């Protein structure tokens, strides 16, 4: 990973993180004693059955949810409250309906009070990188789902965050667009060297994108296993899909996820 | 008639929206996107289809005029029929003219007493506009307070809801006793009546913000003011405009009722005079002017809405005088 920023230590550190949500009637444990260290430049994908607390895990890293117990650090600083050094992409594009694509991307700059000219230049770079050229002024409802998600990705990358958190970003897209977006995200990750944590339901997506795949169990969410993906850093979608190493890992994951779901 | 089907779709979306269904709006957005722009592979297709600039063409002035005419001719026809029926009944004196005057008599009254009527119209218009503006400002402030503060939500919202049950028209005599025959009681009454829809729509709008957008705003490090200005307020505008349209018509009612109870000028006062004198033509003329005030103010709010939220689903069909 030559593109990784020359930073010592961990990008994200979690030790013994437990999250309980209590309502009047019951108490649910969303995450149970989760420990995970992520190095700068890594692309970690998290797979697990629905409701295993994967999204909660991302929100904890972002500082949007406070863990009931355990320690979380981002870029070697303890996480207290919402973190600014991240980019966040949700399953829904969550764009502002009244703004064109470019203005939606620039929301990031306006909210942060970034330098206007610099942000505009960066936005144009990202628009070109993600193939949004020509759609700068298009309103969200005029864009397809894949295009909307590209805009959301550009918005998340505008301030060049050292850490990018993605919560099933391509879950709502059709299979073809999804593959395309996977290939693009892989390229963007190589070019920017950002640390990425991506939550997904798709085993293929997890293996193709990840340098490491974390498998979680159903509620309460625990890490059952972590795989290092033995694939080259530079990946081609078609090649990876026919690679025997991909097959092996995907089969392992499928088996593991099957049992993880069945046991609960 | 694509113009027509689009219009219906927009209306449906608007109806769903006012019923608090954000899902309906996003659903209509999704269907719209599927037939507008498809995702090109960035490696193969670099730009949008030529000439479209990646978006459907904006309606030109000419097309808007056609659409306006298209949306107006049916109600215009119904109105013309009603008017003809009125004329016929009155002219044939099926009903005596001191009860239902002919349009001609009403016209004569209107032109004959035009300066007097104009003076009273201005008085009522002033009361209405003042009441509406105050109701909008106070209603929005209350909505913001309720949407942002859990304490105020619990303390204020039930009272606002309960206060709506009190027949405000019944308060009118009390207001006259307290504030006299001048401008104040009319404006207060207009505010009291118009306030409620603004608060309700404002709260609904401010609460309809996508929670993920708010999470996003938090990670962007923006303060509450910036989040309000850039995200929550624009997001609330479609709801708010719907509430303002209701409020503006109610403000007219407030002002006129205030004049009924005690006044020395204004259209409500003229109406009572005309009624007492059995002056049916004047009464009809007065009614027409009151309605005109309501219609003109409503259209002004519609125009403001078209300028403020051209992006919204209820507005995409182009011209619309029919969203509410």
């Amino acid at each position: 990973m030559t593109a990784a920023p020359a930073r010592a230590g961990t990008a994200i550190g979690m030790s013994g993180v437990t999250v309980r949500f209590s309502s009047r009637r019951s108490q649910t444990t969303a995450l149970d004693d989760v420990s995970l260290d992520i190095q700068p430049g890594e692309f970690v994908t998290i797979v697990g059955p629905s409701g295993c607390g994967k999204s909660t895990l991302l929100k904890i890293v972002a500082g949007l949810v406070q863990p009931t117990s355990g320690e979380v650090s981002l870029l070697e600083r303890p996480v207290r409250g919402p973190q600014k050094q991240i980019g966040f992409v949700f399953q829904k594009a969550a764009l502002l309906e009244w703004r064109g694509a470019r203005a939606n991307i620039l929301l990031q700059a306006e909210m942060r009070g970034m330098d206007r000219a610099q942000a505009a230049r960066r936005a144009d770079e990202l628009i070109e990188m993600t193939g949004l050229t020509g759609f700068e002024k298009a309103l969200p409802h005029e864009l397809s789902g894949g295009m909307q998600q590209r805009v959301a990705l550009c918005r998340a990358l505008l301030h060049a965050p050292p850490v990018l958190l993605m919560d099933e970003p391509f879950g709502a897209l059709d299979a073809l667009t999804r593959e395309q977006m996977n290939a693009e995200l892989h390229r963007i990750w190589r070019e920017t060297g950002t640390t990425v944590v991506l939550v997904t339901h798709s085993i293929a997506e997890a293996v193709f994108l990840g340098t490491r795949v974390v498998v979680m169990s159903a509620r309460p969410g625990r890490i059952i296993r972590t795989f290092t993906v033995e694939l080259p850093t530079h990946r081609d979608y078609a090649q990876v899909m026919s690679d025997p190493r991909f097959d092996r890992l995907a089969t392992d994951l499928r088996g593991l996820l099957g049992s993880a779901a069945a046991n609960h | 008639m694509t113009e027509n089907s689009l219009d219906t779709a927009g209306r449906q979306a608007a109806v769903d929206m006012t019923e608090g269904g954000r899902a309906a709006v996003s659903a209509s957005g999704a269907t719209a996107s599927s037939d507008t722009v498809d995702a090109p592979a960035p490696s193969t297709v670099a730009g949008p289809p030529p000439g479209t600039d990646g978006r459907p063409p904006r309606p030109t002035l000419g097309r808007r005029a056609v659409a306006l005419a298209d949306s107006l001719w049916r109600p215009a026809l119904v109105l013309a029929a009603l008017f003809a029926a009125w004329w016929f009944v009155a002219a044939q004196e099926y009903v005596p003219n001191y009860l239902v005057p002919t349009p001609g008599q009403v016209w004569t009254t209107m032109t004959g007493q035009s300066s007097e009527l104009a003076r009273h119209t201005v008085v009522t218009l002033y009361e209405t506009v003042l009441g509406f503006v105050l109701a909008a400002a106070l209603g929005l402030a209350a909505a913001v307070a309720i949407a942002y503060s859990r304490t105020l939500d619990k303390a204020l919202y039930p009272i606002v809801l309960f206060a709506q049950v009190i027949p405000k028209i019944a308060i009118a005599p009390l207001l006259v006793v307290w504030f006299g025959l001048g401008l104040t009681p009319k404006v207060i009454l207009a505010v009291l009546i118009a306030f409620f829809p603004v608060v309700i729509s404002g709260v609904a709008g401010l609460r309809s913000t996508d929670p993920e957008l708010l999470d996003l705003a938090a990670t962007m490090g923006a303060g509450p003011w910036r989040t309000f200005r850039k995200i929550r307020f624009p997001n609330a505008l479609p709801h708010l405009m719907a509430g303002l349209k209701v409020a503006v018509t109610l403000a007219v009612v407030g002002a006129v009722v205030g004049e009924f109870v005690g006044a020395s000028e204004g259209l409500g006062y003229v109406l009572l005079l005309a009624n007492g004198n059995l002056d049916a033509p004047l009464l009809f003329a007065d009614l027409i002017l009151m309605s005109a005030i309501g219609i003109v103010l409503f259209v002004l709010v519609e125009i403001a809405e078209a300028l403020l939220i051209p992006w919204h689903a209820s507005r995409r069909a182009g011209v619309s005088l029919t969203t509410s």
Side-chain angles (χ1 to χ4, degrees):
Chain A
M1 258 160 291
T2 47
R7 185 192 291 273
T10 56
I12 297 166
M14 280 184 272
S15 64
V17 171
T18 299
V19 179
R20 283 193 199 90
F21 295 117
S22 44
S23 63
R24 230 170 270 164
R25 286 198 196 150
S26 63
Q27 210 183 36
T28 3
T29 307
L31 288 176
D32 188 18
D33 192 25
V34 169
S35 298
L36 180 65
D37 280 334
I38 296 172
Q39 307 307 316
E42 265 195 292
F43 197 130
V44 173
T45 51
I46 301 176
V47 286
S50 292
C52 71
K54 297 171 300 213
S55 302
T56 311
L57 194 123
L58 285 192
K59 286 195 171 176
I60 282 175
V61 175
L64 297 168
V65 170
Q66 310 306 320
T68 314
S69 64
E71 291 299 315
V72 187
S73 70
L74 180 73
L75 305 168
E76 300 187 82
R77 288 224 187 87
V79 170
R80 305 256 185 281
Q83 296 297 300
K84 290 212 273 176
Q85 288 163 303
I86 56 163
F88 213 126
V89 182
F90 299 96
Q91 179 171 358
K92 281 186 294 170
L95 302 176
L96 302 181
E97 284 178 81
W98 54 93
R99 286 180 173 228
R102 192 166 183 274
N104 255 303
I105 296 169
L106 285 170
L107 175 75
Q108 182 78 261
E110 290 166 31
M111 298 292 271
R112 283 171 189 272
M114 285 164 66
D115 177 66
R116 269 163 187 268
Q118 206 185 327
R121 235 175 299 131
R122 168 90 178 144
D124 291 333
E125 275 171 34
L126 287 167
I127 284 168
E128 207 183 322
M129 183 157 82
T130 50
L132 284 168
T133 311
F135 294 94
E136 287 92 343
K137 286 184 180 161
L139 294 174
H141 76 90
E142 296 165 342
L143 295 170
S144 64
M147 299 289 267
Q148 290 184 16
Q149 208 50 277
R150 286 195 180 101
V151 175
L153 182 61
C154 288
R155 180 180 60 191
L157 289 171
L158 187 75
H159 53 301
V163 173
L164 181 62
L165 305 175
M166 308 182 87
D167 188 0
E168 293 182 45
F170 311 131
L173 304 181
D174 63 272
L176 277 177
T177 313
R178 188 168 190 163
E179 287 180 10
Q180 228 172 56
M181 295 296 287
N182 280 349
E184 256 177 74
L185 179 61
H186 176 67
R187 182 172 52 83
I188 290 168
W189 167 71
R190 277 201 331 265
E191 284 170 15
T192 57
T194 306
T195 312
V196 184
V197 184
L198 180 136
V199 163
T200 180
H201 275 123
S202 154
I203 290 174
E205 190 169 275
V207 176
F208 171 71
L209 286 169
T211 55
R212 228 173 359 138
V213 180
V214 173
V215 184
M216 292 184 67
S217 68
R219 200 152 272 190
R222 290 195 189 94
I223 295 183
I224 359 182
R225 242 180 107 178
T226 305
F227 294 89
T228 304
V229 182
E230 309 282 351
L231 288 166
T233 310
H234 194 303
R235 298 173 193 177
D236 175 80
Y237 201 86
Q239 268 175 25
V240 166
M241 290 302 131
S242 56
D243 194 303
R245 287 171 294 185
F246 170 85
D247 270 345
R248 224 174 299 129
L249 186 48
T251 311
D252 284 356
L253 285 172
R254 205 161 283 125
L256 206 52
L257 281 170
S259 66
N263 286 345
H264 289 270
Chain B
M1 279 316 239
T2 44
E3 203 67 61
N4 230 351
S5 60
L6 269 175
D7 193 41
T8 326
R11 253 181 264 172
Q12 189 51 49
V15 169
D16 291 337
M17 188 73 186
T18 45
E19 284 169 4
R22 281 197 61 77
V25 173
S26 61
S28 85
T31 48
S33 67
S34 63
D35 53 37
T36 47
V37 185
D38 248 346
S43 47
T44 52
V45 184
T52 59
D53 195 22
R55 52 204 323 200
R58 285 282 132 94
T60 61
L61 212 62
R63 284 189 51 186
R64 288 181 70 119
V66 170
L68 180 68
D70 184 61
S71 71
L72 283 186
W73 72 266
R74 273 160 279 229
L77 205 66
V78 174
L79 268 183
L82 285 173
F83 187 79
W86 168 29
W87 198 315
F88 184 73
V89 168
Q92 297 291 318
E93 296 211 46
Y94 290 129
V95 183
N97 273 154
Y98 66 85
L99 292 181
V100 178
T102 64
Q105 289 168 324
V106 174
W107 178 250
T108 315
T109 308
M110 262 181 145
T111 46
Q113 305 184 32
S114 61
S115 65
E116 267 299 285
L117 282 173
R119 187 172 69 83
H120 291 296
T121 305
V122 168
V123 169
T124 303
L125 183 66
Y126 182 61
E127 291 161 359
T128 305
V129 170
L130 202 58
F132 170 67
V133 170
L134 282 174
L138 293 172
L140 181 59
V144 170
I146 288 168
Y148 271 85
S149 156
R150 190 169 288 210
T151 318
L152 284 176
D153 176 22
K154 286 189 174 148
L156 268 184
Y157 210 41
I159 295 176
V160 170
L161 290 173
F162 182 70
Q164 182 59 12
V165 181
I166 303 170
K168 275 164 287 297
I169 291 167
I171 309 176
L174 188 65
L175 291 175
V176 172
V177 173
W178 284 353
F179 299 104
L181 297 177
L183 177 70
T184 319
K186 286 90 181 173
V187 173
I188 291 177
L189 204 60
V191 170
L192 283 178
I193 292 186
F195 178 74
F196 186 70
V198 181
V199 178
I200 296 295
S201 62
V203 170
L206 288 168
R207 283 196 180 147
S208 74
T209 317
D210 187 346
E212 294 188 336
L213 266 173
L214 296 179
D215 276 353
L216 207 62
T219 67
M220 289 172 173
W225 168 239
R226 221 173 246 184
T227 308
F228 176 76
R229 207 161 45 96
K230 303 256 182 206
I231 297 176
R232 289 191 85 158
F233 181 68
N235 187 72
L237 269 178
H239 280 94
L240 194 61
M241 292 312 295
L244 287 178
K245 278 192 267 184
V246 177
V248 81
T249 54
L250 289 179
V252 185
V253 175
V256 169
V257 168
E259 288 167 354
F260 277 178
V261 177
S264 51
E265 51 185 357
L267 291 178
Y269 164 76
V270 173
L271 195 79
L272 285 190
L273 274 190
N275 215 20
N277 297 337
L278 277 182
D279 187 348
L282 181 60
L283 206 145
F284 270 63
D286 196 79
L287 277 176
I288 290 171
L289 288 172
M290 280 179 190
S291 315
I293 289 180
I295 292 169
V296 167
L297 291 178
F298 183 84
V299 168
L300 284 179
V301 178
E302 274 272 350
I303 291 171
E305 183 187 65
L307 294 175
L308 282 170
I309 52 167
W311 46 271
H312 190 251
S314 64
R315 284 272 150 213
R316 277 174 214 152
V319 180
S320 146
L321 286 163
T322 48
T323 47
S324 55

